[in-house]
């Protein structure tokens, strides 16, 4: 079974703090993704990565950066947290198995910025 | 860009069928997905359909795809309390590895 883990389920930070969200997958997947989930808006893609040390901006990259130093780990960084970054953050990795493309999700990190 | 839309709420009686609808705009979609999110959890893939198919059935789940109208639906037969969750429609366009998600439909099953 594919497993995607995220370092924290709940996190509370103060405005201006630097925040690191970690994601690890154990299936040697090339692609990894960071989304944020907000009620009524669904999932919005922040950043994604096709390979180690490679990153691409998603739809809402402002205020975020990422790091992919190892294939299994994809980190999301909030350089200076703001209250509008309070959200649920979901990490995913993906594979193409035969004709089927599938994304696998972690349990999510609920971040509150005070 | 891609745009996926779905209604936000659905209430259904236990034992009835649920139908969740989704529309998308990208005609180059290759896969369409339904994900389920239970409270406090991440997303779990329920089922998917290739864009060259009209229907897919998997136990209590039936997916219908109308490519002409760019309309996707998920029918859950004999809805149970464990089916209460948020259901997301998503599409994958062409060779891109990104998925575009709808806002999610919150399904509430009442006794």
């Amino acid at each position: 079974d594919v497993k995607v883990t995220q370092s924290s389920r709940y996190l509370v930070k103060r405005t201006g703090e630097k925040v690191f969200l970690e994601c690890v997958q154990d299936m040697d997947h090339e692609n990894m993704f960071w989304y944020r989930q907000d009620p009524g808006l669904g999932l919005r893609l922040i950043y994604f990565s096709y390979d180690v040390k490679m990153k691409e901006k998603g739809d809402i990259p402002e205020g975020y950066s990422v790091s992919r130093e190892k294939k299994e780990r994809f980190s999301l960084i909030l350089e200076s947290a703001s209250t509008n970054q309070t959200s649920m953050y979901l990490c995913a990795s993906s594979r193409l198995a035969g004709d089927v493309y599938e994304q696998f999700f972690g349990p999510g990190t609920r971040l509150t910025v005070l | 860009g891609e745009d996926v839309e779905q209604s936000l709420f659905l209430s259904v009686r236990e034992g009835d069928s649920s139908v969740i609808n989704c529309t998308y705009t990208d005609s180059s979609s290759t896969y369409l997905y339904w994900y389920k999110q239970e409270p406090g959890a991440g997303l779990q893939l329920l089922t998917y359909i290739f864009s060259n198919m009209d229907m897919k059935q998997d136990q209590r789940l039936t997916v219908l795809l109308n490519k002409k109208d760019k309309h996707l639906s998920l029918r859950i037969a004999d809805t149970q309390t464990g089916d209460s969750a948020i259901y997301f429609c998503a599409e994958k366009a062409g060779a891109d590895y990104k998925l575009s998600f709808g806002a999610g439909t919150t399904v509430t099953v009442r006794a």
Side-chain angles (χ1 to χ4, degrees):
Chain A
D1 266 0
V2 174
K3 195 166 182 185
V4 181
T5 56
Q6 296 184 228
S7 50
S8 306
R9 293 301 302 274
Y10 300 94
L11 211 50
V12 179
K13 296 291 181 181
R14 296 208 173 272
T15 301
E17 281 193 77
K18 190 169 186 175
V19 181
F20 293 86
L21 302 182
E22 305 286 344
C23 175
V24 178
Q25 50 95 4
D26 65 358
M27 284 300 291
D28 203 36
H29 289 170
E30 302 287 341
N31 307 318
M32 296 188 74
F33 307 82
W34 274 106
Y35 296 89
R36 65 176 280 177
Q37 180 185 3
D38 300 287
L41 297 178
L43 274 68
R44 292 179 292 167
L45 183 63
I46 304 171
Y47 266 97
F48 59 102
S49 171
Y50 289 150
D51 203 349
V52 175
K53 295 192 186 297
M54 179 276 175
K55 60 186 178 185
E56 293 278 347
K57 291 181 181 178
D59 300 317
I60 50 162
E62 296 78 19
Y64 303 94
S65 62
V66 290
S67 172
R68 186 133 182 238
E69 295 296 318
K70 292 186 178 181
K71 192 175 188 179
E72 67 270 18
R73 187 180 298 269
F74 192 34
S75 303
L76 180 69
I77 303 153
L78 286 66
E79 295 289 343
S80 176
S82 63
T83 54
N84 63 12
Q85 292 178 310
T86 291
S87 188
M88 169 73 94
Y89 290 87
L90 293 165
C91 175
S93 69
S94 71
R95 72 176 179 194
L96 181 64
D99 288 337
V100 181
Y101 176 78
E102 185 176 348
Q103 284 194 9
F104 298 87
F105 284 82
T109 295
R110 186 164 293 283
L111 172 67
T112 302
V113 182
L114 301 175
Chain B
E2 303 88 352
D3 195 10
V4 179
E5 293 189 355
Q6 50 184 131
S7 54
L8 293 183
F9 301 99
L10 176 67
S11 178
V12 62
R13 191 172 306 187
E14 191 174 9
D16 286 353
S17 291
S18 311
V19 179
I20 308 167
N21 294 300
C22 171
T23 58
Y24 61 97
T25 57
D26 196 325
S27 57
S28 67
S29 295
T30 52
Y31 297 85
L32 294 131
Y33 304 84
W34 285 104
Y35 279 85
K36 177 183 181 182
Q37 184 182 37
E38 295 181 355
L43 274 67
Q44 170 195 0
L45 180 66
L46 268 185
T47 188
Y48 64 91
I49 188 167
F50 292 112
S51 59
N52 60 359
M53 296 168 64
D54 298 323
M55 186 183 89
K56 180 178 181 181
Q57 189 151 1
D58 184 1
Q59 299 182 337
R60 292 191 297 124
L61 305 178
T62 303
V63 179
L64 294 177
L65 175 60
N66 181 327
K67 279 194 74 174
K68 176 176 166 289
D69 295 337
K70 297 189 180 68
H71 182 267
L72 181 74
S73 67
L74 174 69
R75 179 177 178 269
I76 306 172
D78 186 24
T79 310
Q80 302 298 307
T81 54
D83 295 323
S84 292
I86 304 176
Y87 291 81
F88 290 93
C89 169
E91 66 166 351
K92 176 185 180 301
D96 204 339
Y97 287 117
K98 295 183 289 182
L99 299 186
S100 294
F101 287 84
T105 300
T106 299
V107 173
T108 303
V109 181
R110 60 188 193 278

mmCIF file of all heavy atoms in Angstrom, chain A residues 7-40:
data_model
loop_
_atom_site.group_PDB
_atom_site.id
_atom_site.type_symbol
_atom_site.label_atom_id
_atom_site.label_comp_id
_atom_site.label_asym_id
_atom_site.label_seq_id
_atom_site.Cartn_x
_atom_site.Cartn_y
_atom_site.Cartn_z
ATOM 1 N N SER A 7 4.069 15.489 8.549
ATOM 2 C CA SER A 7 4.755 15.549 9.842
ATOM 3 C C SER A 7 3.835 15.897 10.997
ATOM 4 O O SER A 7 4.052 15.454 12.118
ATOM 5 C CB SER A 7 5.901 16.561 9.778
ATOM 6 O OG SER A 7 5.440 17.788 9.244
ATOM 7 N N SER A 8 2.806 16.699 10.751
ATOM 8 C CA SER A 8 1.919 17.091 11.844
ATOM 9 C C SER A 8 0.476 17.020 11.382
ATOM 10 O O SER A 8 0.181 17.290 10.236
ATOM 11 C CB SER A 8 2.204 18.529 12.297
ATOM 12 O OG SER A 8 3.553 18.714 12.628
ATOM 13 N N ARG A 9 -0.445 16.665 12.264
ATOM 14 C CA ARG A 9 -1.866 16.735 11.928
ATOM 15 C C ARG A 9 -2.417 18.125 12.222
ATOM 16 O O ARG A 9 -3.277 18.614 11.508
ATOM 17 C CB ARG A 9 -2.653 15.699 12.722
ATOM 18 C CG ARG A 9 -2.351 14.251 12.362
ATOM 19 C CD ARG A 9 -2.639 13.954 10.891
ATOM 20 N NE ARG A 9 -4.015 14.230 10.509
ATOM 21 C CZ ARG A 9 -5.016 13.376 10.637
ATOM 22 N NH1 ARG A 9 -4.811 12.197 11.164
ATOM 23 N NH2 ARG A 9 -6.232 13.707 10.250
ATOM 24 N N TYR A 10 -1.918 18.730 13.312
ATOM 25 C CA TYR A 10 -2.369 20.063 13.710
ATOM 26 C C TYR A 10 -1.145 20.903 14.066
ATOM 27 O O TYR A 10 -0.200 20.405 14.671
ATOM 28 C CB TYR A 10 -3.299 19.992 14.928
ATOM 29 C CG TYR A 10 -4.548 19.178 14.690
ATOM 30 C CD1 TYR A 10 -4.595 17.829 15.025
ATOM 31 C CD2 TYR A 10 -5.677 19.757 14.114
ATOM 32 C CE1 TYR A 10 -5.731 17.081 14.795
ATOM 33 C CE2 TYR A 10 -6.818 19.015 13.879
ATOM 34 C CZ TYR A 10 -6.833 17.678 14.223
ATOM 35 O OH TYR A 10 -7.961 16.931 13.981
ATOM 36 N N LEU A 11 -1.210 22.174 13.665
ATOM 37 C CA LEU A 11 -0.095 23.077 13.927
ATOM 38 C C LEU A 11 -0.664 24.463 14.201
ATOM 39 O O LEU A 11 -1.562 24.915 13.477
ATOM 40 C CB LEU A 11 0.793 23.118 12.679
ATOM 41 C CG LEU A 11 2.285 23.342 12.769
ATOM 42 C CD1 LEU A 11 2.924 22.402 13.780
ATOM 43 C CD2 LEU A 11 2.915 23.143 11.398
ATOM 44 N N VAL A 12 -0.137 25.120 15.227
ATOM 45 C CA VAL A 12 -0.543 26.503 15.519
ATOM 46 C C VAL A 12 0.716 27.359 15.531
ATOM 47 O O VAL A 12 1.670 27.060 16.247
ATOM 48 C CB VAL A 12 -1.269 26.605 16.880
ATOM 49 C CG1 VAL A 12 -1.661 28.065 17.153
ATOM 50 C CG2 VAL A 12 -2.504 25.708 16.905
ATOM 51 N N LYS A 13 0.718 28.393 14.715
ATOM 52 C CA LYS A 13 1.879 29.283 14.597
ATOM 53 C C LYS A 13 1.436 30.733 14.712
ATOM 54 O O LYS A 13 0.246 31.051 14.591
ATOM 55 C CB LYS A 13 2.573 29.059 13.241
ATOM 56 C CG LYS A 13 3.167 27.677 13.079
ATOM 57 C CD LYS A 13 4.346 27.475 13.996
ATOM 58 C CE LYS A 13 4.965 26.103 13.819
ATOM 59 N NZ LYS A 13 6.115 25.889 14.745
ATOM 60 N N ARG A 14 2.408 31.598 14.935
ATOM 61 C CA ARG A 14 2.101 33.028 15.047
ATOM 62 C C ARG A 14 2.473 33.732 13.748
ATOM 63 O O ARG A 14 3.362 33.307 13.002
ATOM 64 C CB ARG A 14 2.881 33.639 16.206
ATOM 65 C CG ARG A 14 2.474 33.050 17.552
ATOM 66 C CD ARG A 14 2.679 34.041 18.681
ATOM 67 N NE ARG A 14 2.130 33.495 19.927
ATOM 68 C CZ ARG A 14 0.866 33.658 20.294
ATOM 69 N NH1 ARG A 14 0.025 34.329 19.537
ATOM 70 N NH2 ARG A 14 0.441 33.149 21.432
ATOM 71 N N THR A 15 1.793 34.825 13.489
ATOM 72 C CA THR A 15 2.071 35.653 12.316
ATOM 73 C C THR A 15 3.547 36.011 12.272
ATOM 74 O O THR A 15 4.132 36.394 13.295
ATOM 75 C CB THR A 15 1.227 36.943 12.372
ATOM 76 O OG1 THR A 15 -0.159 36.591 12.413
ATOM 77 C CG2 THR A 15 1.485 37.809 11.156
ATOM 78 N N GLY A 16 4.144 35.841 11.088
ATOM 79 C CA GLY A 16 5.551 36.178 10.906
ATOM 80 C C GLY A 16 6.514 35.023 11.112
ATOM 81 O O GLY A 16 7.688 35.115 10.723
ATOM 82 N N GLU A 17 6.043 33.937 11.710
ATOM 83 C CA GLU A 17 6.921 32.780 11.919
ATOM 84 C C GLU A 17 7.206 32.075 10.598
ATOM 85 O O GLU A 17 6.385 32.103 9.666
ATOM 86 C CB GLU A 17 6.261 31.776 12.865
ATOM 87 C CG GLU A 17 6.354 32.133 14.335
ATOM 88 C CD GLU A 17 5.968 30.950 15.216
ATOM 89 O OE1 GLU A 17 6.785 30.027 15.373
ATOM 90 O OE2 GLU A 17 4.836 30.946 15.742
ATOM 91 N N LYS A 18 8.346 31.402 10.538
ATOM 92 C CA LYS A 18 8.665 30.539 9.394
ATOM 93 C C LYS A 18 8.137 29.144 9.722
ATOM 94 O O LYS A 18 8.400 28.625 10.809
ATOM 95 C CB LYS A 18 10.167 30.511 9.156
ATOM 96 C CG LYS A 18 10.587 29.845 7.849
ATOM 97 C CD LYS A 18 12.066 30.104 7.556
ATOM 98 C CE LYS A 18 12.456 29.560 6.190
ATOM 99 N NZ LYS A 18 13.848 29.903 5.837
ATOM 100 N N VAL A 19 7.401 28.567 8.794
ATOM 101 C CA VAL A 19 6.731 27.299 9.057
ATOM 102 C C VAL A 19 7.179 26.263 8.024
ATOM 103 O O VAL A 19 7.247 26.559 6.820
ATOM 104 C CB VAL A 19 5.191 27.456 8.977
ATOM 105 C CG1 VAL A 19 4.506 26.130 9.285
ATOM 106 C CG2 VAL A 19 4.711 28.549 9.931
ATOM 107 N N PHE A 20 7.487 25.072 8.511
ATOM 108 C CA PHE A 20 7.873 23.966 7.638
ATOM 109 C C PHE A 20 6.833 22.856 7.751
ATOM 110 O O PHE A 20 6.543 22.389 8.847
ATOM 111 C CB PHE A 20 9.233 23.395 8.047
ATOM 112 C CG PHE A 20 10.394 24.319 7.832
ATOM 113 C CD1 PHE A 20 10.726 25.252 8.805
ATOM 114 C CD2 PHE A 20 11.132 24.276 6.663
ATOM 115 C CE1 PHE A 20 11.797 26.119 8.611
ATOM 116 C CE2 PHE A 20 12.203 25.130 6.460
ATOM 117 C CZ PHE A 20 12.532 26.059 7.439
ATOM 118 N N LEU A 21 6.300 22.449 6.608
ATOM 119 C CA LEU A 21 5.414 21.287 6.570
ATOM 120 C C LEU A 21 6.137 20.207 5.766
ATOM 121 O O LEU A 21 6.571 20.446 4.639
ATOM 122 C CB LEU A 21 4.077 21.630 5.909
ATOM 123 C CG LEU A 21 3.271 22.770 6.548
ATOM 124 C CD1 LEU A 21 1.958 22.963 5.810
ATOM 125 C CD2 LEU A 21 3.010 22.503 8.012
ATOM 126 N N GLU A 22 6.231 19.024 6.379
ATOM 127 C CA GLU A 22 6.989 17.947 5.751
ATOM 128 C C GLU A 22 6.068 16.855 5.236
ATOM 129 O O GLU A 22 5.065 16.522 5.868
ATOM 130 C CB GLU A 22 7.956 17.325 6.771
ATOM 131 C CG GLU A 22 8.902 18.306 7.438
ATOM 132 C CD GLU A 22 10.010 18.762 6.518
ATOM 133 O OE1 GLU A 22 10.234 18.101 5.481
ATOM 134 O OE2 GLU A 22 10.636 19.789 6.824
ATOM 135 N N CYS A 23 6.449 16.265 4.122
ATOM 136 C CA CYS A 23 5.681 15.172 3.527
ATOM 137 C C CYS A 23 6.661 14.102 3.054
ATOM 138 O O CYS A 23 7.671 14.423 2.414
ATOM 139 C CB CYS A 23 4.866 15.711 2.352
ATOM 140 S SG CYS A 23 3.974 14.453 1.421
ATOM 141 N N VAL A 24 6.333 12.864 3.350
ATOM 142 C CA VAL A 24 7.173 11.742 2.942
ATOM 143 C C VAL A 24 6.307 10.669 2.308
ATOM 144 O O VAL A 24 5.246 10.339 2.841
ATOM 145 C CB VAL A 24 7.935 11.141 4.154
ATOM 146 C CG1 VAL A 24 8.761 9.940 3.724
ATOM 147 C CG2 VAL A 24 8.829 12.191 4.792
ATOM 148 N N GLN A 25 6.783 10.136 1.166
ATOM 149 C CA GLN A 25 6.075 9.010 0.533
ATOM 150 C C GLN A 25 7.056 7.841 0.397
ATOM 151 O O GLN A 25 8.245 8.047 0.204
ATOM 152 C CB GLN A 25 5.477 9.421 -0.824
ATOM 153 C CG GLN A 25 6.427 10.120 -1.777
ATOM 154 C CD GLN A 25 7.110 9.237 -2.778
ATOM 155 O OE1 GLN A 25 6.862 8.030 -2.864
ATOM 156 N NE2 GLN A 25 7.992 9.829 -3.581
ATOM 157 N N ASP A 26 6.500 6.634 0.486
ATOM 158 C CA ASP A 26 7.366 5.459 0.571
ATOM 159 C C ASP A 26 7.304 4.582 -0.679
ATOM 160 O O ASP A 26 7.688 3.409 -0.626
ATOM 161 C CB ASP A 26 7.022 4.638 1.812
ATOM 162 C CG ASP A 26 5.618 4.042 1.760
ATOM 163 O OD1 ASP A 26 4.882 4.287 0.775
ATOM 164 O OD2 ASP A 26 5.247 3.336 2.720
ATOM 165 N N MET A 27 6.809 5.115 -1.784
ATOM 166 C CA MET A 27 6.635 4.275 -2.975
ATOM 167 C C MET A 27 7.478 4.719 -4.162
ATOM 168 O O MET A 27 7.177 4.351 -5.290
ATOM 169 C CB MET A 27 5.159 4.244 -3.373
ATOM 170 C CG MET A 27 4.330 3.362 -2.467
ATOM 171 S SD MET A 27 4.888 1.644 -2.465
ATOM 172 C CE MET A 27 4.439 1.143 -4.127
ATOM 173 N N ASP A 28 8.505 5.495 -3.921
ATOM 174 C CA ASP A 28 9.433 5.863 -4.993
ATOM 175 C C ASP A 28 8.740 6.624 -6.144
ATOM 176 O O ASP A 28 9.132 6.515 -7.312
ATOM 177 C CB ASP A 28 10.114 4.598 -5.555
ATOM 178 C CG ASP A 28 11.438 4.916 -6.239
ATOM 179 O OD1 ASP A 28 12.146 5.819 -5.765
ATOM 180 O OD2 ASP A 28 11.746 4.266 -7.259
ATOM 181 N N HIS A 29 7.723 7.394 -5.795
ATOM 182 C CA HIS A 29 7.008 8.161 -6.823
ATOM 183 C C HIS A 29 7.819 9.362 -7.266
ATOM 184 O O HIS A 29 8.477 10.023 -6.460
ATOM 185 C CB HIS A 29 5.664 8.645 -6.288
ATOM 186 C CG HIS A 29 4.672 7.536 -6.107
ATOM 187 N ND1 HIS A 29 3.480 7.733 -5.438
ATOM 188 C CD2 HIS A 29 4.674 6.249 -6.501
ATOM 189 C CE1 HIS A 29 2.803 6.599 -5.437
ATOM 190 N NE2 HIS A 29 3.508 5.688 -6.071
ATOM 191 N N GLU A 30 7.748 9.656 -8.566
ATOM 192 C CA GLU A 30 8.479 10.808 -9.102
ATOM 193 C C GLU A 30 7.801 12.122 -8.719
ATOM 194 O O GLU A 30 8.461 13.105 -8.418
ATOM 195 C CB GLU A 30 8.531 10.725 -10.635
ATOM 196 C CG GLU A 30 9.173 9.470 -11.193
ATOM 197 C CD GLU A 30 10.680 9.469 -11.021
ATOM 198 O OE1 GLU A 30 11.256 10.556 -10.814
ATOM 199 O OE2 GLU A 30 11.275 8.391 -11.061
ATOM 200 N N ASN A 31 6.476 12.139 -8.803
ATOM 201 C CA ASN A 31 5.738 13.397 -8.674
ATOM 202 C C ASN A 31 5.195 13.582 -7.269
ATOM 203 O O ASN A 31 4.638 12.660 -6.681
ATOM 204 C CB ASN A 31 4.554 13.412 -9.644
ATOM 205 C CG ASN A 31 4.974 13.102 -11.064
ATOM 206 O OD1 ASN A 31 5.984 13.588 -11.531
ATOM 207 N ND2 ASN A 31 4.196 12.280 -11.735
ATOM 208 N N MET A 32 5.341 14.792 -6.764
ATOM 209 C CA MET A 32 4.746 15.139 -5.470
ATOM 210 C C MET A 32 4.106 16.517 -5.556
ATOM 211 O O MET A 32 4.541 17.361 -6.355
ATOM 212 C CB MET A 32 5.797 15.086 -4.355
ATOM 213 C CG MET A 32 6.354 13.680 -4.142
ATOM 214 S SD MET A 32 7.418 13.512 -2.706
ATOM 215 C CE MET A 32 6.234 13.562 -1.354
ATOM 216 N N PHE A 33 3.093 16.729 -4.720
ATOM 217 C CA PHE A 33 2.246 17.916 -4.826
ATOM 218 C C PHE A 33 1.914 18.458 -3.438
ATOM 219 O O PHE A 33 1.750 17.685 -2.487
ATOM 220 C CB PHE A 33 0.914 17.556 -5.511
ATOM 221 C CG PHE A 33 1.062 16.858 -6.835
ATOM 222 C CD1 PHE A 33 1.302 15.492 -6.888
ATOM 223 C CD2 PHE A 33 0.957 17.566 -8.017
ATOM 224 C CE1 PHE A 33 1.441 14.834 -8.104
ATOM 225 C CE2 PHE A 33 1.093 16.926 -9.238
ATOM 226 C CZ PHE A 33 1.337 15.563 -9.283
ATOM 227 N N TRP A 34 1.758 19.779 -3.356
ATOM 228 C CA TRP A 34 1.183 20.408 -2.176
ATOM 229 C C TRP A 34 -0.060 21.190 -2.570
ATOM 230 O O TRP A 34 -0.024 22.002 -3.505
ATOM 231 C CB TRP A 34 2.171 21.379 -1.513
ATOM 232 C CG TRP A 34 3.093 20.722 -0.547
ATOM 233 C CD1 TRP A 34 4.422 20.451 -0.715
ATOM 234 C CD2 TRP A 34 2.765 20.248 0.761
ATOM 235 N NE1 TRP A 34 4.942 19.835 0.391
ATOM 236 C CE2 TRP A 34 3.941 19.703 1.326
ATOM 237 C CE3 TRP A 34 1.594 20.243 1.522
ATOM 238 C CZ2 TRP A 34 3.977 19.152 2.599
ATOM 239 C CZ3 TRP A 34 1.639 19.690 2.791
ATOM 240 C CH2 TRP A 34 2.823 19.159 3.319
ATOM 241 N N TYR A 35 -1.158 20.925 -1.842
ATOM 242 C CA TYR A 35 -2.425 21.623 -2.032
ATOM 243 C C TYR A 35 -2.824 22.285 -0.719
ATOM 244 O O TYR A 35 -2.448 21.839 0.354
ATOM 245 C CB TYR A 35 -3.551 20.635 -2.361
ATOM 246 C CG TYR A 35 -3.424 19.859 -3.642
ATOM 247 C CD1 TYR A 35 -2.766 18.631 -3.673
ATOM 248 C CD2 TYR A 35 -4.018 20.331 -4.818
ATOM 249 C CE1 TYR A 35 -2.687 17.904 -4.853
ATOM 250 C CE2 TYR A 35 -3.943 19.598 -5.996
ATOM 251 C CZ TYR A 35 -3.280 18.380 -6.004
ATOM 252 O OH TYR A 35 -3.213 17.649 -7.168
ATOM 253 N N ARG A 36 -3.662 23.309 -0.849
ATOM 254 C CA ARG A 36 -4.390 23.761 0.331
ATOM 255 C C ARG A 36 -5.881 23.591 0.062
ATOM 256 O O ARG A 36 -6.337 23.712 -1.086
ATOM 257 C CB ARG A 36 -4.041 25.192 0.742
ATOM 258 C CG ARG A 36 -4.398 26.289 -0.194
ATOM 259 C CD ARG A 36 -4.062 27.659 0.409
ATOM 260 N NE ARG A 36 -5.067 28.122 1.361
ATOM 261 C CZ ARG A 36 -4.980 29.237 2.064
ATOM 262 N NH1 ARG A 36 -3.903 30.021 1.959
ATOM 263 N NH2 ARG A 36 -5.933 29.590 2.910
ATOM 264 N N GLN A 37 -6.591 23.254 1.138
ATOM 265 C CA GLN A 37 -8.024 23.000 1.035
ATOM 266 C C GLN A 37 -8.779 23.986 1.902
ATOM 267 O O GLN A 37 -8.542 24.069 3.110
ATOM 268 C CB GLN A 37 -8.350 21.572 1.486
ATOM 269 C CG GLN A 37 -9.829 21.240 1.406
ATOM 270 C CD GLN A 37 -10.155 19.874 1.960
ATOM 271 O OE1 GLN A 37 -9.292 19.161 2.473
ATOM 272 N NE2 GLN A 37 -11.403 19.471 1.853
ATOM 273 N N ASP A 38 -9.694 24.715 1.299
ATOM 274 C CA ASP A 38 -10.515 25.679 2.021
ATOM 275 C C ASP A 38 -11.979 25.440 1.672
ATOM 276 O O ASP A 38 -12.295 25.130 0.514
ATOM 277 C CB ASP A 38 -10.116 27.114 1.643
ATOM 278 C CG ASP A 38 -8.660 27.400 1.977
ATOM 279 O OD1 ASP A 38 -8.375 27.529 3.178
ATOM 280 O OD2 ASP A 38 -7.819 27.479 1.060
ATOM 281 N N PRO A 39 -12.877 25.597 2.648
ATOM 282 C CA PRO A 39 -14.305 25.319 2.394
ATOM 283 C C PRO A 39 -14.832 26.125 1.217
ATOM 284 O O PRO A 39 -14.608 27.334 1.122
ATOM 285 C CB PRO A 39 -14.968 25.764 3.710
ATOM 286 C CG PRO A 39 -13.896 25.630 4.727
ATOM 287 C CD PRO A 39 -12.619 25.989 4.034
ATOM 288 N N GLY A 40 -15.536 25.440 0.329
ATOM 289 C CA GLY A 40 -16.126 26.098 -0.825
ATOM 290 C C GLY A 40 -15.163 26.346 -1.971
ATOM 291 O O GLY A 40 -15.586 26.746 -3.059
#
